Amino acid sequence: MTIEEAAQQPVSVIVACLHEEDTIRECLERITRAMPNAEVLVVHGGRDRTYEIAAEMARENPHIVPIKNENDQGKGHAIQVGIGRARYDVMGQFDADLQFAPEDLPALFLPILNGEADLVIGSRFMAGSDTSGYRFSFFRTVGNWIVNGWVSLMSGRRITDVTTGSKAWTRAAIEKIAFKDVKFVYEIEIVMYAIRRGLRVKQVPVRYHNRQGGVSGHGKGWNELKSIIRTGFKLLWRATEIRFERL
Ligand SMILES: Nc1nc2c(ncn2[C@@H]2O[C@H](COP(=O)(O)OP(=O)(O)OP(=O)(O)O)[C@@H](O)[C@H]2O)c(=O)[nH]1
Ligand SMILES: [Mg+2]
């Protein structure tokens, strides 16, 4: 299949969001333009207008499915809800803050649609990635470097971007992966379990930009440092646990 053909396929794109009213409209416009036959599940866990904007757009475009996640427990939980509602067997996750480019989605899905992978990681840190529109803070650079290095060590496979918001998988793969965490740690669970359970994992380069609106859950400055350290340790610990778990 070519990339143009991949762009026409029916797949499910899960967009977890928490207060992304600044970017959700453009995000959905660009996703539905890049993949016009995709179903886009917008799983909103907050109280701003993100859900209303998605619902309004859904009236014009039935491919958009707005979901109000009443008992939202975190991003992992929202993705879990999206998987439960997904109509197609090829699906993926995509962040709402437009740090990733919706135009990269066909290339993300292509290895799965071609039957070459069970999980695809849209990587910000490999040959061909473009992060020129993003300024990584020092903490994040070091944090990403440590987490990706540790997961590579624990899984025995060079993984360049564990926490990327752009990933694709098959229904069979995600059922086998069976991640449990409801917050951010599920990202590492997906990658570690996929490798440990013998699934075919592929990495493709993506573009990455500064947030196009909204606020970071990590905060700024000192709070960002504390949040990155806390999240980082949880990720490292969970990767280690899965490495030694009996499957
Ligand atoms: N439903 C739901 N979505 C969430 C939650 N936390 C984050 N998200 C969404 O998940 C995606 C990624 O979260 P981000 O806050 O952008 O995480 P990040 O990219 O690591 O960090 P920053 O962009 O710097 O904040 C975004 O679309 C968020 O709106 C949550 O608790 N519930
Ligand atoms: Mg983000």
XYZ file of all heavy atoms in Angstrom, residues 2-4 6-7 35 102-113 120-122 168 202-207:
210
model
N 0.462 2.270 -0.732
C 1.222 3.519 -0.731
C 0.723 4.409 0.422
O -0.319 4.135 1.022
C 1.002 4.308 -2.032
O -0.395 4.651 -2.096
C 1.388 3.485 -3.248
N 1.445 5.481 0.667
C 1.056 6.399 1.725
C -0.276 7.086 1.379
O -1.108 7.332 2.253
C 2.190 7.404 2.004
C 1.936 8.188 3.281
C 2.447 8.340 0.882
C 2.985 7.913 4.303
N -0.498 7.334 0.098
C -1.763 7.956 -0.340
C -2.929 7.012 -0.069
O -4.007 7.442 0.330
C -1.724 8.305 -1.835
C -0.835 9.483 -2.212
C 0.647 9.112 -2.258
O 0.952 7.901 -2.405
O 1.492 10.016 -2.124
N -2.905 4.664 2.241
C -3.027 4.566 3.707
C -3.899 5.701 4.243
O -4.706 5.524 5.157
C -1.645 4.600 4.361
N -3.740 6.883 3.654
C -4.491 8.063 4.106
C -5.998 7.899 3.911
O -6.787 8.579 4.571
C -3.991 9.304 3.359
N -6.688 12.182 7.145
C -7.247 10.829 7.031
C -8.771 10.924 6.986
O -9.449 10.692 7.994
C -6.774 9.967 8.202
C -5.264 9.777 8.187
S -4.662 8.299 9.008
C -5.228 6.959 7.979
N -0.716 16.261 12.467
C -1.702 15.298 11.959
C -1.340 14.764 10.566
O -1.681 13.640 10.221
C -2.997 16.116 11.910
C -2.812 17.172 12.949
C -1.353 17.514 12.916
N -0.596 15.563 9.793
C -0.213 15.148 8.443
C 0.738 13.942 8.468
O 0.952 13.295 7.441
C 0.454 16.320 7.702
C -0.493 17.491 7.416
C -0.886 18.292 8.667
O -0.102 18.317 9.649
O -1.996 18.879 8.679
N 1.312 13.645 9.633
C 2.198 12.471 9.748
C 1.413 11.186 10.016
O 1.996 10.095 10.038
C 3.202 12.673 10.909
C 4.309 13.658 10.557
O 4.544 13.876 9.354
O 4.933 14.208 11.487
N 0.089 11.281 10.222
C -0.693 10.087 10.594
C -0.672 8.962 9.548
O -0.496 7.797 9.919
C -2.141 10.475 10.933
C -2.342 11.031 12.354
C -3.729 11.650 12.497
C -2.143 9.938 13.408
N -0.836 9.263 8.247
C -0.798 8.151 7.286
C 0.498 7.338 7.379
O 0.464 6.110 7.326
C -0.934 8.854 5.933
C -1.684 10.118 6.244
C -1.188 10.546 7.603
N 1.622 8.010 7.565
C 2.906 7.294 7.669
C 2.989 6.475 8.948
O 3.654 5.434 9.004
C 4.060 8.294 7.605
N 2.286 6.951 10.000
C 2.268 6.219 11.270
C 1.486 4.915 11.112
O 1.875 3.869 11.627
C 1.626 7.101 12.356
C 1.596 6.515 13.769
C 2.970 6.635 14.434
C 0.549 7.221 14.635
N 0.381 4.984 10.389
C -0.470 3.798 10.221
C 0.033 2.833 9.144
O -0.326 1.657 9.153
C -1.912 4.225 9.902
C -2.689 4.663 11.108
C -2.986 6.006 11.330
C -3.120 3.731 12.040
C -3.700 6.407 12.463
C -3.840 4.120 13.158
C -4.129 5.461 13.372
N 0.837 3.340 8.218
C 1.241 2.544 7.053
C 1.827 1.166 7.399
O 1.378 0.159 6.828
C 2.216 3.356 6.182
C 2.619 2.713 4.854
C 1.408 2.516 3.949
C 3.674 3.566 4.139
N 2.793 1.052 8.329
C 3.360 -0.283 8.604
C 2.314 -1.271 9.129
O 2.409 -2.464 8.865
C 4.421 -0.003 9.679
C 4.721 1.450 9.578
C 3.459 2.113 9.116
N 1.311 -0.770 9.841
C 0.261 -1.654 10.342
C -0.648 -2.072 9.193
O -0.969 -3.248 9.032
C -0.548 -0.964 11.459
C 0.382 -0.761 12.647
C -1.789 -1.782 11.823
C -0.273 -0.381 13.913
N -1.034 -1.108 8.386
C -1.918 -1.406 7.256
C -1.248 -2.356 6.261
O -1.909 -3.140 5.595
C -2.331 -0.098 6.564
C -3.194 0.827 7.441
C -3.270 2.229 6.845
C -4.603 0.245 7.618
N 3.243 0.757 16.227
C 4.150 1.723 15.594
C 4.337 2.904 16.533
O 3.372 3.461 17.067
C 3.608 2.225 14.233
C 4.593 3.195 13.589
C 3.347 1.058 13.297
N 5.590 3.266 16.742
C 5.936 4.398 17.598
C 6.318 5.563 16.692
O 7.244 5.439 15.886
C 7.133 4.016 18.503
C 6.731 2.886 19.458
C 7.662 5.228 19.251
C 7.892 2.322 20.275
N 5.604 6.672 16.799
C 5.952 7.877 16.039
C 7.044 8.598 16.818
O 6.771 9.263 17.804
N 0.476 3.918 17.038
C -0.620 3.184 16.390
C -0.481 1.710 16.719
O 0.626 1.223 16.977
C -0.575 3.404 14.877
N 7.558 -1.182 15.388
C 8.286 -0.409 14.387
C 8.304 1.067 14.793
O 7.360 1.543 15.430
C 7.599 -0.594 13.038
C 8.490 -0.177 11.922
C 8.039 -0.602 10.570
C 8.963 0.198 9.677
N 9.018 -0.017 8.357
N 9.366 1.778 14.455
C 9.458 3.204 14.773
C 9.521 4.004 13.478
O 10.259 3.637 12.577
C 10.704 3.463 15.621
C 10.776 2.530 16.836
C 11.994 2.776 17.715
O 12.078 3.800 18.385
N 12.922 1.849 17.718
N 8.723 5.055 13.411
C 8.793 5.931 12.235
C 9.034 7.365 12.720
O 8.579 7.752 13.798
C 7.489 5.880 11.385
C 7.214 4.473 10.868
C 6.287 6.396 12.162
N 9.778 8.160 11.951
C 10.073 9.534 12.382
C 8.848 10.447 12.258
O 8.043 10.285 11.347
C 11.168 9.979 11.411
C 11.001 9.114 10.207
C 10.420 7.809 10.673
N 8.715 11.384 13.208
C 7.625 12.366 13.133
C 8.159 13.771 13.401
O 9.285 13.948 13.861
C 6.490 12.067 14.162
C 5.785 10.770 13.826
C 7.009 12.066 15.597
N 7.317 14.740 13.117
C 7.638 16.146 13.422
C 7.099 16.492 14.802
O 6.099 15.923 15.237
C 6.977 17.067 12.400
C 7.648 17.050 11.055
C 6.782 17.701 10.018
N 5.809 16.756 9.492
C 5.025 17.009 8.438
N 5.079 18.183 7.855
N 4.173 16.097 8.003
